[in-house]
Amino acid sequence: MLKAKPQEYNFIYNEQKITYKLVFDKYKTVRLRLTAPYFLEIKMPVRIPHRYAEQSILKHIDWILSQSEQFQEQDKQALPFTKELFIFGKAFPVHSQTSACTQKEKLLFTAQNTFFNQEQVFLHALPILQNSHTAVSLTNAEIFVQCRDEGDCARKLTAWRKKTARSFLSWYYQQLWQVFQEKTAHFLLQHPIKTSYHLACPPLSFRSCKRCFGSCKISPKPERGRRTARIMLSTHLMGLPLEYIEFVILHEFCHLIFHNHSPHFYALLDLVLPRHRIIKASISHWSKKHISF
């Protein structure tokens, strides 16, 4: 079946114009996603009437308006990412220069309530941060980028950000998988689940998304007799404090066993990460006030 071409429409609510793009495909339900202030992407089944899109907007209008206001507020407060970056929750002012980069040194980070020895984790991260791009150098307080102009600085920082995040997060992902296996072993013996996802670490992929740090995708069709799973992480995740990174990854691991946010899912997450409710609230608060890595 061919996919219908996406189309854009306008919807007026109390003199506020809301633009939405309709995407038709093999979806079973209507799905809304806010991509910019007062701009929605609505995914719908091909044969469903158009009026259901606007009915969904009205149903979720309070959420759309509040989220759009938050988008606008963040845009007002946000600094250009070429001025300041966060790594593991620590702010680094960015300076462009035409000369050779600064000599390398040991970086100091802090973390709390995590599963691993922090000194060892950051010692592993240090060479990744310092060697991912020849034009980018870090001191304990600043980032220096050897570049021609601001545009060149932005391109080099973007390339450096993606490479460092992929290298470190892939390693940390494997470390947390071992923690997840140990934490859930007894639970799975007491609560037999008809899934084999937890038996092997699922493949990891990356994307560049500032508002959704992770997702778990279960294939709709079985491969070789069983469904497969893939976890996606945002490259911006590395800008968050370490305990927030652990929360996102362990949250997605729990979705391998319980696909939705059911009471069973939260019972498993309580076992794996008892402080998850506090951390989730902290992530939301932190993300509104800081620029991601």
Side-chain angles (χ1 to χ4, degrees):
M1 181 180 69
L2 296 175
K3 296 182 180 179
K5 186 177 179 180
Q7 301 178 51
E8 289 189 6
Y9 302 89
N10 292 322
F11 177 78
I12 307 298
Y13 179 82
N14 289 346
E15 300 183 355
Q16 174 62 56
K17 185 175 79 170
I18 298 172
T19 303
Y20 62 96
K21 179 174 70 173
L22 285 184
V23 180
F24 296 97
D25 207 335
K26 297 179 180 179
Y27 303 107
K28 295 182 179 180
T29 58
V30 178
R31 306 178 185 181
L32 280 69
R33 185 167 72 97
L34 197 71
T35 58
Y38 306 105
F39 189 93
L40 288 165
E41 180 183 78
I42 302 179
K43 297 181 178 180
M44 298 175 58
V46 175
R47 293 182 177 83
I48 198 167
H50 182 181
R51 68 177 182 273
Y52 281 91
E54 296 191 353
Q55 289 177 2
S56 295
I57 293 174
L58 285 172
K59 182 179 178 181
H60 300 91
I61 192 65
D62 292 338
W63 172 81
I64 293 168
L65 295 177
S66 65
Q67 290 296 308
S68 295
E69 290 175 1
Q70 288 185 21
F71 265 78
Q72 291 179 326
E73 190 64 28
Q74 288 175 20
D75 291 340
K76 290 178 183 178
Q77 296 177 356
L79 298 172
F81 85 99
T82 53
K83 302 299 181 185
E84 185 178 55
L85 289 179
F86 284 82
I87 305 172
F88 299 129
K90 179 178 178 178
F92 287 82
V94 177
H95 304 281
S96 58
Q97 56 185 40
T98 55
S99 58
C101 289
T102 312
Q103 185 177 0
K104 297 174 183 177
E105 62 180 68
K106 182 178 178 180
L107 303 182
L108 301 177
F109 296 98
T110 58
Q112 3 179 329
N113 303 312
T114 55
F115 290 102
F116 302 103
N117 180 289
Q118 298 312 300
E119 183 72 15
Q120 295 301 316
V121 171
F122 293 133
L123 282 177
H124 182 88
L126 181 59
I128 296 174
L129 291 167
Q130 293 185 326
N131 301 321
S132 292
H133 201 295
T134 56
V136 179
S137 177
L138 290 80
T139 69
N140 195 46
E142 299 169 306
I143 298 175
F144 295 93
V145 184
Q146 186 180 356
C147 57
R148 299 185 305 274
D149 51 40
E150 187 171 335
D152 186 39
C153 178
R155 285 189 294 273
K156 288 179 177 177
L157 276 177
T158 298
W160 174 74
R161 172 178 62 80
K162 290 181 178 179
K163 190 170 182 181
T164 53
R166 287 171 180 268
S167 298
F168 176 80
L169 292 176
S170 295
W171 173 80
Y172 208 47
Y173 180 83
Q174 295 291 335
Q175 308 306 308
L176 287 171
W177 178 252
Q178 300 302 320
V179 171
F180 179 73
Q181 292 287 79
E182 293 170 5
K183 292 281 186 179
T184 58
H186 188 64
F187 177 89
L188 293 173
L189 287 174
Q190 290 184 324
H191 306 80
I193 308 295
K194 293 183 179 180
T195 176
S196 56
Y197 302 141
H198 62 282
L199 297 179
C201 187
L204 176 63
S205 58
F206 293 92
R207 61 186 176 187
S208 182
C209 181
K210 293 184 178 181
R211 291 179 172 84
C212 179
F213 294 119
S215 66
C216 178
K217 184 177 181 181
I218 309 295
S219 62
K221 295 182 180 179
E223 294 180 12
R224 297 179 181 178
R226 68 182 184 90
R227 293 184 177 182
T228 58
R230 177 179 293 275
I231 289 177
M232 290 184 288
L233 297 178
S234 170
T235 54
H236 292 274
L237 184 61
M238 196 170 166
L240 275 64
L242 203 62
E243 64 175 335
Y244 297 173
I245 298 176
E246 292 186 350
F247 165 80
V248 172
I249 295 175
L250 292 172
H251 181 104
E252 302 310 329
F253 283 158
C254 289
H255 276 309
L256 298 173
I257 299 174
F258 298 109
H259 308 330
N260 54 18
H261 294 97
S262 64
H264 295 296
F265 169 84
Y266 284 110
L268 181 61
L269 192 55
D270 282 333
L271 175 67
V272 175
L273 192 63
R275 296 181 63 254
H276 68 90
R277 291 177 179 82
I278 297 173
I279 297 174
K280 183 177 180 179
S282 301
I283 289 179
S284 299
H285 179 73
W286 196 95
S287 300
K288 291 175 184 176
K289 295 183 176 292
H290 300 78
I291 308 162
S292 293
F293 171 85

PDB file of all heavy atoms in Angstrom, residues 22-52:
ATOM      1  N   LEU A  22      -0.817  16.254   8.597  1.00  0.00           N
ATOM      2  CA  LEU A  22      -1.381  14.906   8.637  1.00  0.00           C
ATOM      3  C   LEU A  22      -0.463  13.935   7.912  1.00  0.00           C
ATOM      4  O   LEU A  22      -0.061  14.170   6.774  1.00  0.00           O
ATOM      5  CB  LEU A  22      -2.760  14.884   7.974  1.00  0.00           C
ATOM      6  CG  LEU A  22      -3.924  15.500   8.768  1.00  0.00           C
ATOM      7  CD1 LEU A  22      -5.223  15.303   8.003  1.00  0.00           C
ATOM      8  CD2 LEU A  22      -4.029  14.883  10.142  1.00  0.00           C
ATOM      9  N   VAL A  23      -0.128  12.855   8.609  1.00  0.00           N
ATOM     10  CA  VAL A  23       0.681  11.796   8.022  1.00  0.00           C
ATOM     11  C   VAL A  23      -0.149  10.518   8.049  1.00  0.00           C
ATOM     12  O   VAL A  23      -0.536  10.050   9.117  1.00  0.00           O
ATOM     13  CB  VAL A  23       1.992  11.604   8.804  1.00  0.00           C
ATOM     14  CG1 VAL A  23       2.826  10.495   8.175  1.00  0.00           C
ATOM     15  CG2 VAL A  23       2.785  12.910   8.859  1.00  0.00           C
ATOM     16  N   PHE A  24      -0.443   9.976   6.881  1.00  0.00           N
ATOM     17  CA  PHE A  24      -1.277   8.774   6.781  1.00  0.00           C
ATOM     18  C   PHE A  24      -0.388   7.552   6.545  1.00  0.00           C
ATOM     19  O   PHE A  24       0.497   7.568   5.707  1.00  0.00           O
ATOM     20  CB  PHE A  24      -2.271   8.904   5.634  1.00  0.00           C
ATOM     21  CG  PHE A  24      -3.269  10.007   5.824  1.00  0.00           C
ATOM     22  CD1 PHE A  24      -3.054  11.246   5.241  1.00  0.00           C
ATOM     23  CD2 PHE A  24      -4.399   9.813   6.590  1.00  0.00           C
ATOM     24  CE1 PHE A  24      -3.963  12.274   5.414  1.00  0.00           C
ATOM     25  CE2 PHE A  24      -5.321  10.834   6.771  1.00  0.00           C
ATOM     26  CZ  PHE A  24      -5.096  12.065   6.181  1.00  0.00           C
ATOM     27  N   ASP A  25      -0.665   6.491   7.303  1.00  0.00           N
ATOM     28  CA  ASP A  25       0.098   5.254   7.136  1.00  0.00           C
ATOM     29  C   ASP A  25      -0.673   4.124   7.808  1.00  0.00           C
ATOM     30  O   ASP A  25      -1.831   4.299   8.178  1.00  0.00           O
ATOM     31  CB  ASP A  25       1.496   5.414   7.738  1.00  0.00           C
ATOM     32  CG  ASP A  25       2.510   4.489   7.059  1.00  0.00           C
ATOM     33  OD1 ASP A  25       2.085   3.465   6.516  1.00  0.00           O
ATOM     34  OD2 ASP A  25       3.707   4.798   7.073  1.00  0.00           O
ATOM     35  N   LYS A  26       0.001   3.003   8.030  1.00  0.00           N
ATOM     36  CA  LYS A  26      -0.655   1.830   8.623  1.00  0.00           C
ATOM     37  C   LYS A  26      -0.712   1.937  10.138  1.00  0.00           C
ATOM     38  O   LYS A  26      -0.287   1.039  10.864  1.00  0.00           O
ATOM     39  CB  LYS A  26       0.094   0.553   8.220  1.00  0.00           C
ATOM     40  CG  LYS A  26       0.089   0.281   6.728  1.00  0.00           C
ATOM     41  CD  LYS A  26       0.874  -0.983   6.424  1.00  0.00           C
ATOM     42  CE  LYS A  26       0.893  -1.289   4.940  1.00  0.00           C
ATOM     43  NZ  LYS A  26       1.677  -2.505   4.630  1.00  0.00           N
ATOM     44  N   TYR A  27      -1.234   3.059  10.634  1.00  0.00           N
ATOM     45  CA  TYR A  27      -1.393   3.228  12.075  1.00  0.00           C
ATOM     46  C   TYR A  27      -2.770   2.721  12.498  1.00  0.00           C
ATOM     47  O   TYR A  27      -3.728   2.750  11.721  1.00  0.00           O
ATOM     48  CB  TYR A  27      -1.234   4.698  12.466  1.00  0.00           C
ATOM     49  CG  TYR A  27       0.080   5.299  12.050  1.00  0.00           C
ATOM     50  CD1 TYR A  27       0.148   6.206  10.997  1.00  0.00           C
ATOM     51  CD2 TYR A  27       1.255   4.958  12.706  1.00  0.00           C
ATOM     52  CE1 TYR A  27       1.365   6.753  10.606  1.00  0.00           C
ATOM     53  CE2 TYR A  27       2.466   5.499  12.320  1.00  0.00           C
ATOM     54  CZ  TYR A  27       2.516   6.390  11.271  1.00  0.00           C
ATOM     55  OH  TYR A  27       3.713   6.923  10.889  1.00  0.00           O
ATOM     56  N   LYS A  28      -2.879   2.286  13.753  1.00  0.00           N
ATOM     57  CA  LYS A  28      -4.166   1.811  14.260  1.00  0.00           C
ATOM     58  C   LYS A  28      -4.912   2.882  15.028  1.00  0.00           C
ATOM     59  O   LYS A  28      -6.115   2.777  15.234  1.00  0.00           O
ATOM     60  CB  LYS A  28      -3.945   0.578  15.152  1.00  0.00           C
ATOM     61  CG  LYS A  28      -3.409  -0.629  14.402  1.00  0.00           C
ATOM     62  CD  LYS A  28      -3.259  -1.827  15.334  1.00  0.00           C
ATOM     63  CE  LYS A  28      -2.745  -3.044  14.588  1.00  0.00           C
ATOM     64  NZ  LYS A  28      -2.590  -4.220  15.467  1.00  0.00           N
ATOM     65  N   THR A  29      -4.193   3.911  15.479  1.00  0.00           N
ATOM     66  CA  THR A  29      -4.806   4.977  16.259  1.00  0.00           C
ATOM     67  C   THR A  29      -4.304   6.326  15.767  1.00  0.00           C
ATOM     68  O   THR A  29      -3.355   6.397  14.985  1.00  0.00           O
ATOM     69  CB  THR A  29      -4.465   4.835  17.758  1.00  0.00           C
ATOM     70  OG1 THR A  29      -3.041   4.843  17.907  1.00  0.00           O
ATOM     71  CG2 THR A  29      -5.033   3.550  18.331  1.00  0.00           C
ATOM     72  N   VAL A  30      -4.946   7.397  16.251  1.00  0.00           N
ATOM     73  CA  VAL A  30      -4.496   8.759  15.941  1.00  0.00           C
ATOM     74  C   VAL A  30      -3.428   9.151  16.954  1.00  0.00           C
ATOM     75  O   VAL A  30      -3.628   9.022  18.152  1.00  0.00           O
ATOM     76  CB  VAL A  30      -5.676   9.751  15.998  1.00  0.00           C
ATOM     77  CG1 VAL A  30      -5.191  11.172  15.718  1.00  0.00           C
ATOM     78  CG2 VAL A  30      -6.751   9.353  14.993  1.00  0.00           C
ATOM     79  N   ARG A  31      -2.290   9.632  16.458  1.00  0.00           N
ATOM     80  CA  ARG A  31      -1.169   9.984  17.331  1.00  0.00           C
ATOM     81  C   ARG A  31      -0.790  11.446  17.103  1.00  0.00           C
ATOM     82  O   ARG A  31      -0.641  11.882  15.959  1.00  0.00           O
ATOM     83  CB  ARG A  31       0.045   9.105  17.044  1.00  0.00           C
ATOM     84  CG  ARG A  31      -0.247   7.622  17.107  1.00  0.00           C
ATOM     85  CD  ARG A  31       0.985   6.805  16.775  1.00  0.00           C
ATOM     86  NE  ARG A  31       0.706   5.383  16.717  1.00  0.00           N
ATOM     87  CZ  ARG A  31       1.628   4.458  16.453  1.00  0.00           C
ATOM     88  NH1 ARG A  31       2.882   4.819  16.214  1.00  0.00           N
ATOM     89  NH2 ARG A  31       1.304   3.190  16.402  1.00  0.00           N
ATOM     90  N   LEU A  32      -0.606  12.180  18.195  1.00  0.00           N
ATOM     91  CA  LEU A  32      -0.234  13.593  18.124  1.00  0.00           C
ATOM     92  C   LEU A  32       1.179  13.786  18.651  1.00  0.00           C
ATOM     93  O   LEU A  32       1.549  13.199  19.670  1.00  0.00           O
ATOM     94  CB  LEU A  32      -1.193  14.462  18.943  1.00  0.00           C
ATOM     95  CG  LEU A  32      -2.550  14.834  18.328  1.00  0.00           C
ATOM     96  CD1 LEU A  32      -3.459  13.622  18.223  1.00  0.00           C
ATOM     97  CD2 LEU A  32      -3.211  15.919  19.151  1.00  0.00           C
ATOM     98  N   ARG A  33       1.942  14.634  17.950  1.00  0.00           N
ATOM     99  CA  ARG A  33       3.286  14.986  18.414  1.00  0.00           C
ATOM    100  C   ARG A  33       3.526  16.458  18.141  1.00  0.00           C
ATOM    101  O   ARG A  33       3.360  16.921  17.010  1.00  0.00           O
ATOM    102  CB  ARG A  33       4.354  14.140  17.708  1.00  0.00           C
ATOM    103  CG  ARG A  33       5.763  14.384  18.228  1.00  0.00           C
ATOM    104  CD  ARG A  33       6.697  13.301  17.729  1.00  0.00           C
ATOM    105  NE  ARG A  33       6.966  13.448  16.323  1.00  0.00           N
ATOM    106  CZ  ARG A  33       8.053  14.065  15.819  1.00  0.00           C
ATOM    107  NH1 ARG A  33       8.944  14.585  16.637  1.00  0.00           N
ATOM    108  NH2 ARG A  33       8.237  14.138  14.521  1.00  0.00           N
ATOM    109  N   LEU A  34       3.882  17.202  19.176  1.00  0.00           N
ATOM    110  CA  LEU A  34       4.164  18.625  19.035  1.00  0.00           C
ATOM    111  C   LEU A  34       5.631  18.786  18.642  1.00  0.00           C
ATOM    112  O   LEU A  34       6.526  18.430  19.397  1.00  0.00           O
ATOM    113  CB  LEU A  34       3.883  19.346  20.356  1.00  0.00           C
ATOM    114  CG  LEU A  34       3.747  20.866  20.292  1.00  0.00           C
ATOM    115  CD1 LEU A  34       2.444  21.250  19.592  1.00  0.00           C
ATOM    116  CD2 LEU A  34       3.782  21.459  21.691  1.00  0.00           C
ATOM    117  N   THR A  35       5.897  19.336  17.446  1.00  0.00           N
ATOM    118  CA  THR A  35       7.262  19.475  16.956  1.00  0.00           C
ATOM    119  C   THR A  35       7.791  20.897  17.078  1.00  0.00           C
ATOM    120  O   THR A  35       8.992  21.124  16.992  1.00  0.00           O
ATOM    121  CB  THR A  35       7.352  19.035  15.486  1.00  0.00           C
ATOM    122  OG1 THR A  35       6.446  19.825  14.699  1.00  0.00           O
ATOM    123  CG2 THR A  35       6.978  17.565  15.340  1.00  0.00           C
ATOM    124  N   ALA A  36       6.898  21.876  17.258  1.00  0.00           N
ATOM    125  CA  ALA A  36       7.253  23.285  17.425  1.00  0.00           C
ATOM    126  C   ALA A  36       6.057  23.962  18.084  1.00  0.00           C
ATOM    127  O   ALA A  36       4.973  23.374  18.160  1.00  0.00           O
ATOM    128  CB  ALA A  36       7.586  23.926  16.083  1.00  0.00           C
ATOM    129  N   PRO A  37       6.213  25.205  18.584  1.00  0.00           N
ATOM    130  CA  PRO A  37       5.061  25.873  19.189  1.00  0.00           C
ATOM    131  C   PRO A  37       3.878  25.954  18.239  1.00  0.00           C
ATOM    132  O   PRO A  37       4.003  26.461  17.117  1.00  0.00           O
ATOM    133  CB  PRO A  37       5.612  27.276  19.519  1.00  0.00           C
ATOM    134  CG  PRO A  37       7.070  27.074  19.687  1.00  0.00           C
ATOM    135  CD  PRO A  37       7.448  26.007  18.697  1.00  0.00           C
ATOM    136  N   TYR A  38       2.750  25.382  18.661  1.00  0.00           N
ATOM    137  CA  TYR A  38       1.498  25.399  17.902  1.00  0.00           C
ATOM    138  C   TYR A  38       1.630  24.715  16.537  1.00  0.00           C
ATOM    139  O   TYR A  38       0.914  25.050  15.597  1.00  0.00           O
ATOM    140  CB  TYR A  38       0.990  26.839  17.728  1.00  0.00           C
ATOM    141  CG  TYR A  38       0.862  27.575  19.035  1.00  0.00           C
ATOM    142  CD1 TYR A  38       1.784  28.555  19.398  1.00  0.00           C
ATOM    143  CD2 TYR A  38      -0.146  27.253  19.945  1.00  0.00           C
ATOM    144  CE1 TYR A  38       1.690  29.216  20.622  1.00  0.00           C
ATOM    145  CE2 TYR A  38      -0.256  27.909  21.161  1.00  0.00           C
ATOM    146  CZ  TYR A  38       0.674  28.889  21.489  1.00  0.00           C
ATOM    147  OH  TYR A  38       0.579  29.537  22.698  1.00  0.00           O
ATOM    148  N   PHE A  39       2.528  23.759  16.449  1.00  0.00           N
ATOM    149  CA  PHE A  39       2.668  22.976  15.212  1.00  0.00           C
ATOM    150  C   PHE A  39       2.682  21.500  15.582  1.00  0.00           C
ATOM    151  O   PHE A  39       3.551  21.048  16.329  1.00  0.00           O
ATOM    152  CB  PHE A  39       3.943  23.341  14.464  1.00  0.00           C
ATOM    153  CG  PHE A  39       4.024  22.712  13.090  1.00  0.00           C
ATOM    154  CD1 PHE A  39       3.561  23.394  11.981  1.00  0.00           C
ATOM    155  CD2 PHE A  39       4.530  21.430  12.922  1.00  0.00           C
ATOM    156  CE1 PHE A  39       3.612  22.816  10.716  1.00  0.00           C
ATOM    157  CE2 PHE A  39       4.578  20.843  11.670  1.00  0.00           C
ATOM    158  CZ  PHE A  39       4.122  21.543  10.559  1.00  0.00           C
ATOM    159  N   LEU A  40       1.706  20.767  15.056  1.00  0.00           N
ATOM    160  CA  LEU A  40       1.528  19.359  15.381  1.00  0.00           C
ATOM    161  C   LEU A  40       1.804  18.462  14.188  1.00  0.00           C
ATOM    162  O   LEU A  40       1.543  18.842  13.040  1.00  0.00           O
ATOM    163  CB  LEU A  40       0.094  19.092  15.834  1.00  0.00           C
ATOM    164  CG  LEU A  40      -0.348  19.593  17.208  1.00  0.00           C
ATOM    165  CD1 LEU A  40      -1.863  19.549  17.290  1.00  0.00           C
ATOM    166  CD2 LEU A  40       0.261  18.754  18.305  1.00  0.00           C
ATOM    167  N   GLU A  41       2.294  17.287  14.473  1.00  0.00           N
ATOM    168  CA  GLU A  41       2.322  16.214  13.489  1.00  0.00           C
ATOM    169  C   GLU A  41       1.316  15.167  13.958  1.00  0.00           C
ATOM    170  O   GLU A  41       1.419  14.658  15.079  1.00  0.00           O
ATOM    171  CB  GLU A  41       3.714  15.596  13.392  1.00  0.00           C
ATOM    172  CG  GLU A  41       3.786  14.471  12.368  1.00  0.00           C
ATOM    173  CD  GLU A  41       5.153  13.816  12.343  1.00  0.00           C
ATOM    174  OE1 GLU A  41       5.420  12.999  13.253  1.00  0.00           O
ATOM    175  OE2 GLU A  41       5.941  14.128  11.448  1.00  0.00           O
ATOM    176  N   ILE A  42       0.335  14.877  13.125  1.00  0.00           N
ATOM    177  CA  ILE A  42      -0.715  13.933  13.493  1.00  0.00           C
ATOM    178  C   ILE A  42      -0.632  12.726  12.559  1.00  0.00           C
ATOM    179  O   ILE A  42      -0.752  12.868  11.343  1.00  0.00           O
ATOM    180  CB  ILE A  42      -2.117  14.572  13.393  1.00  0.00           C
ATOM    181  CG1 ILE A  42      -2.191  15.813  14.293  1.00  0.00           C
ATOM    182  CG2 ILE A  42      -3.190  13.560  13.790  1.00  0.00           C
ATOM    183  CD1 ILE A  42      -3.525  16.524  14.258  1.00  0.00           C
ATOM    184  N   LYS A  43      -0.421  11.552  13.139  1.00  0.00           N
ATOM    185  CA  LYS A  43      -0.335  10.317  12.371  1.00  0.00           C
ATOM    186  C   LYS A  43      -1.669   9.585  12.482  1.00  0.00           C
ATOM    187  O   LYS A  43      -2.178   9.386  13.579  1.00  0.00           O
ATOM    188  CB  LYS A  43       0.806   9.444  12.881  1.00  0.00           C
ATOM    189  CG  LYS A  43       2.175  10.089  12.711  1.00  0.00           C
ATOM    190  CD  LYS A  43       3.291   9.187  13.194  1.00  0.00           C
ATOM    191  CE  LYS A  43       4.647   9.824  12.977  1.00  0.00           C
ATOM    192  NZ  LYS A  43       5.759   8.965  13.432  1.00  0.00           N
ATOM    193  N   MET A  44      -2.214   9.199  11.328  1.00  0.00           N
ATOM    194  CA  MET A  44      -3.559   8.610  11.295  1.00  0.00           C
ATOM    195  C   MET A  44      -3.611   7.415  10.355  1.00  0.00           C
ATOM    196  O   MET A  44      -2.840   7.335   9.396  1.00  0.00           O
ATOM    197  CB  MET A  44      -4.581   9.649  10.810  1.00  0.00           C
ATOM    198  CG  MET A  44      -4.721  10.864  11.688  1.00  0.00           C
ATOM    199  SD  MET A  44      -5.834  12.102  10.947  1.00  0.00           S
ATOM    200  CE  MET A  44      -7.331  11.138  10.756  1.00  0.00           C
ATOM    201  N   PRO A  45      -4.547   6.479  10.626  1.00  0.00           N
ATOM    202  CA  PRO A  45      -4.809   5.423   9.641  1.00  0.00           C
ATOM    203  C   PRO A  45      -5.311   6.034   8.331  1.00  0.00           C
ATOM    204  O   PRO A  45      -5.959   7.078   8.324  1.00  0.00           O
ATOM    205  CB  PRO A  45      -5.898   4.580  10.315  1.00  0.00           C
ATOM    206  CG  PRO A  45      -5.780   4.895  11.768  1.00  0.00           C
ATOM    207  CD  PRO A  45      -5.334   6.319  11.847  1.00  0.00           C
ATOM    208  N   VAL A  46      -5.026   5.401   7.232  1.00  0.00           N
ATOM    209  CA  VAL A  46      -5.327   5.967   5.903  1.00  0.00           C
ATOM    210  C   VAL A  46      -6.805   6.238   5.714  1.00  0.00           C
ATOM    211  O   VAL A  46      -7.199   7.284   5.196  1.00  0.00           O
ATOM    212  CB  VAL A  46      -4.811   5.019   4.804  1.00  0.00           C
ATOM    213  CG1 VAL A  46      -5.234   5.526   3.424  1.00  0.00           C
ATOM    214  CG2 VAL A  46      -3.295   4.913   4.872  1.00  0.00           C
ATOM    215  N   ARG A  47      -7.668   5.354   6.140  1.00  0.00           N
ATOM    216  CA  ARG A  47      -9.101   5.478   5.821  1.00  0.00           C
ATOM    217  C   ARG A  47      -9.917   6.209   6.892  1.00  0.00           C
ATOM    218  O   ARG A  47     -11.132   6.282   6.794  1.00  0.00           O
ATOM    219  CB  ARG A  47      -9.689   4.082   5.588  1.00  0.00           C
ATOM    220  CG  ARG A  47      -9.135   3.404   4.343  1.00  0.00           C
ATOM    221  CD  ARG A  47      -9.782   2.049   4.112  1.00  0.00           C
ATOM    222  NE  ARG A  47      -9.298   1.442   2.896  1.00  0.00           N
ATOM    223  CZ  ARG A  47      -8.164   0.752   2.791  1.00  0.00           C
ATOM    224  NH1 ARG A  47      -7.399   0.589   3.856  1.00  0.00           N
ATOM    225  NH2 ARG A  47      -7.798   0.227   1.637  1.00  0.00           N
ATOM    226  N   ILE A  48      -9.282   6.739   7.892  1.00  0.00           N
ATOM    227  CA  ILE A  48     -10.039   7.418   8.945  1.00  0.00           C
ATOM    228  C   ILE A  48     -10.437   8.819   8.474  1.00  0.00           C
ATOM    229  O   ILE A  48      -9.657   9.493   7.789  1.00  0.00           O
ATOM    230  CB  ILE A  48      -9.210   7.484  10.246  1.00  0.00           C
ATOM    231  CG1 ILE A  48     -10.093   7.783  11.453  1.00  0.00           C
ATOM    232  CG2 ILE A  48      -8.125   8.541  10.148  1.00  0.00           C
ATOM    233  CD1 ILE A  48      -9.397   7.563  12.781  1.00  0.00           C
ATOM    234  N   PRO A  49     -11.641   9.307   8.768  1.00  0.00           N
ATOM    235  CA  PRO A  49     -12.075  10.640   8.316  1.00  0.00           C
ATOM    236  C   PRO A  49     -11.207  11.758   8.892  1.00  0.00           C
ATOM    237  O   PRO A  49     -10.703  11.666  10.006  1.00  0.00           O
ATOM    238  CB  PRO A  49     -13.520  10.733   8.847  1.00  0.00           C
ATOM    239  CG  PRO A  49     -13.956   9.322   9.032  1.00  0.00           C
ATOM    240  CD  PRO A  49     -12.728   8.564   9.422  1.00  0.00           C
ATOM    241  N   HIS A  50     -11.071  12.822   8.106  1.00  0.00           N
ATOM    242  CA  HIS A  50     -10.239  13.963   8.479  1.00  0.00           C
ATOM    243  C   HIS A  50     -10.708  14.612   9.785  1.00  0.00           C
ATOM    244  O   HIS A  50      -9.904  15.106  10.567  1.00  0.00           O
ATOM    245  CB  HIS A  50     -10.252  14.982   7.336  1.00  0.00           C
ATOM    246  CG  HIS A  50      -9.399  16.181   7.586  1.00  0.00           C
ATOM    247  ND1 HIS A  50      -9.285  17.209   6.705  1.00  0.00           N
ATOM    248  CD2 HIS A  50      -8.610  16.524   8.633  1.00  0.00           C
ATOM    249  CE1 HIS A  50      -8.470  18.130   7.190  1.00  0.00           C
ATOM    250  NE2 HIS A  50      -8.049  17.732   8.359  1.00  0.00           N
ATOM    251  N   ARG A  51     -12.016  14.588  10.036  1.00  0.00           N
ATOM    252  CA  ARG A  51     -12.546  15.270  11.221  1.00  0.00           C
ATOM    253  C   ARG A  51     -11.976  14.699  12.519  1.00  0.00           C
ATOM    254  O   ARG A  51     -11.947  15.386  13.555  1.00  0.00           O
ATOM    255  CB  ARG A  51     -14.072  15.183  11.244  1.00  0.00           C
ATOM    256  CG  ARG A  51     -14.634  13.788  11.461  1.00  0.00           C
ATOM    257  CD  ARG A  51     -16.156  13.806  11.551  1.00  0.00           C
ATOM    258  NE  ARG A  51     -16.704  12.487  11.812  1.00  0.00           N
ATOM    259  CZ  ARG A  51     -16.992  11.604  10.866  1.00  0.00           C
ATOM    260  NH1 ARG A  51     -16.774  11.915   9.589  1.00  0.00           N
ATOM    261  NH2 ARG A  51     -17.480  10.414  11.179  1.00  0.00           N
ATOM    262  N   TYR A  52     -11.505  13.452  12.508  1.00  0.00           N
ATOM    263  CA  TYR A  52     -10.950  12.852  13.720  1.00  0.00           C
ATOM    264  C   TYR A  52      -9.655  13.550  14.144  1.00  0.00           C
ATOM    265  O   TYR A  52      -9.302  13.530  15.318  1.00  0.00           O
ATOM    266  CB  TYR A  52     -10.701  11.357  13.518  1.00  0.00           C
ATOM    267  CG  TYR A  52     -11.963  10.527  13.625  1.00  0.00           C
ATOM    268  CD1 TYR A  52     -12.730  10.237  12.507  1.00  0.00           C
ATOM    269  CD2 TYR A  52     -12.400  10.053  14.860  1.00  0.00           C
ATOM    270  CE1 TYR A  52     -13.891   9.499  12.610  1.00  0.00           C
ATOM    271  CE2 TYR A  52     -13.555   9.309  14.980  1.00  0.00           C
ATOM    272  CZ  TYR A  52     -14.304   9.039  13.849  1.00  0.00           C
ATOM    273  OH  TYR A  52     -15.462   8.313  13.943  1.00  0.00           O
TER     274      TYR A  52
END
